[in-house]
């Protein structure tokens, strides 16, 4: 397949859909993956109605074997994966005095750990120029104590992106976390479309200008 393929993990009607739409506008075939296929397919149908190539997929990101099978299946069908966008996170309203260790580890497993099997499964289908894109957050630096696990997730996944970028760079594949330093909303600079534009710009940079972390301040 000559058409580049982008895979959005943790796709929803907000930022995930906006990123898929932005890359589809650049000629990518979009695969939107949500926990349930019945949630992902309507999002893909919206893009198809707009004239883009798109499909939905269901995957439980807490199950590494399922992640491997779904991502590997996408790669087998299309022969390539050019962008892997990792978008999930967990919002759990518990402060550090009430958050339990199992809850923290459960949240980090989804919001950061699931990136590992996703990249490992995608790697055989990624060629030079492919990109790993992660949705970062200001919570990595300034966590909200009332949802303490979110900051840990975002700090962990940002750290992991640094290691992934260094590991993949010799093969011409790069990884970047775009840190959104604001509260997501339906309108304005922190609405999905402008953030998706910023993510496209981050991914489209040449290797000579590459950094694994890009802030988005609106």
């Amino acid at each position: 397949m000559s058409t580049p393929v982008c895979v959005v993990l943790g796709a929803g009607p907000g930022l995930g859909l906006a990123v898929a739409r932005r890359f589809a506008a650049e000629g990518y075939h979009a695969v939107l993956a949500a926990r349930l296929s019945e949630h992902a397919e309507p999002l893909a149908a919206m893009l198809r109605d707009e004239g883009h190539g798109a499909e939905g997929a269901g995957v439980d990101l807490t199950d590494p074997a399922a992640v491997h099978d779904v991502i590997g299946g996408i790669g087998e069908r299309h022969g390539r994966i050019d962008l892997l966008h990792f978008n999930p996170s967990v919002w759990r309203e518990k402060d550090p005095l009430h958050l339990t260790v199992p809850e923290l580890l459960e949240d980090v497993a989804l919001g950061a750990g699931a990136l590992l099997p996703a990249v490992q499964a995608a790697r055989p289908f990624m060629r030079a120029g492919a990109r790993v894109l992660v949705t970062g957050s200001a919570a990595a630096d300034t966590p909200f104590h009332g949802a303490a696990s979110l900051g840990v997730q975002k700090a962990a996944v940002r750290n992991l992106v640094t290691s992934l970028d260094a590991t993949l760079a010799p093969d011409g594949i790069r990884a970047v976390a775009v840190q959104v330093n604001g509260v997501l909303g339906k309108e304005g600079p922190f609405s999905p479309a402008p953030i998706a534009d910023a993510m496209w710009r981050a991914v489209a940079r040449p290797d000579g200008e590459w950094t694994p972390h890009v802030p988005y301040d609106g």
Side-chain angles (χ1 to χ4, degrees):
M1 183 176 178
S2 59
T3 302
V5 175
C6 71
V7 180
V8 178
L9 296 176
L15 184 58
L17 176 60
V19 170
R21 178 180 284 120
R22 183 65 181 84
F23 279 80
E26 298 293 335
Y28 285 67
H29 178 84
V31 183
L32 298 101
R35 183 176 177 84
L36 299 174
S37 58
E38 52 262 42
H39 294 162
E41 183 53 33
L43 302 176
M46 292 176 64
L47 295 184
R48 291 196 298 269
D49 289 345
E50 296 168 10
H52 303 301
E55 63 190 86
V59 60
D60 180 359
L61 293 176
T62 66
D63 183 345
V67 173
H68 189 276
D69 288 347
V70 171
I71 298 295
I74 294 167
E76 290 286 353
R77 286 198 305 277
H78 297 285
R80 60 191 296 169
I81 294 176
D82 300 271
L83 176 84
L84 182 69
H85 177 213
F86 187 77
N87 190 50
S89 61
V90 181
W91 175 270
R92 188 189 296 269
E93 292 194 23
K94 284 198 172 183
D95 66 32
L97 297 183
H98 297 90
L99 183 68
T100 68
V101 171
E103 289 170 338
L104 176 62
L105 296 180
E106 178 183 328
D107 294 352
V108 172
L110 175 61
L115 179 59
L116 287 176
V119 174
Q120 290 162 4
R123 177 62 188 87
F125 307 100
M126 303 179 87
R127 61 193 73 180
R131 301 290 186 252
V132 176
L133 170 65
V134 172
T135 302
S137 167
D141 296 317
T142 55
F144 170 53
H145 69 280
S149 80
L150 180 63
V152 179
Q153 294 168 60
K154 291 304 184 181
V157 78
R158 183 175 65 184
N159 186 286
L160 188 54
V161 165
T162 304
S163 294
L164 281 170
D165 185 58
T167 302
L168 296 170
D171 295 320
I173 303 167
R174 306 307 300 259
V176 61
V178 175
Q179 180 162 310
V180 181
N181 293 321
V183 178
L184 273 67
K186 294 183 178 180
E187 298 180 353
F190 289 102
S191 59
I195 296 173
D197 283 338
M199 290 186 164
W200 167 257
R201 292 193 299 271
V203 165
R205 293 172 299 158
D207 282 0
E209 299 175 8
W210 196 264
T211 57
H213 306 117
V214 172
Y216 175 70
D217 298 316

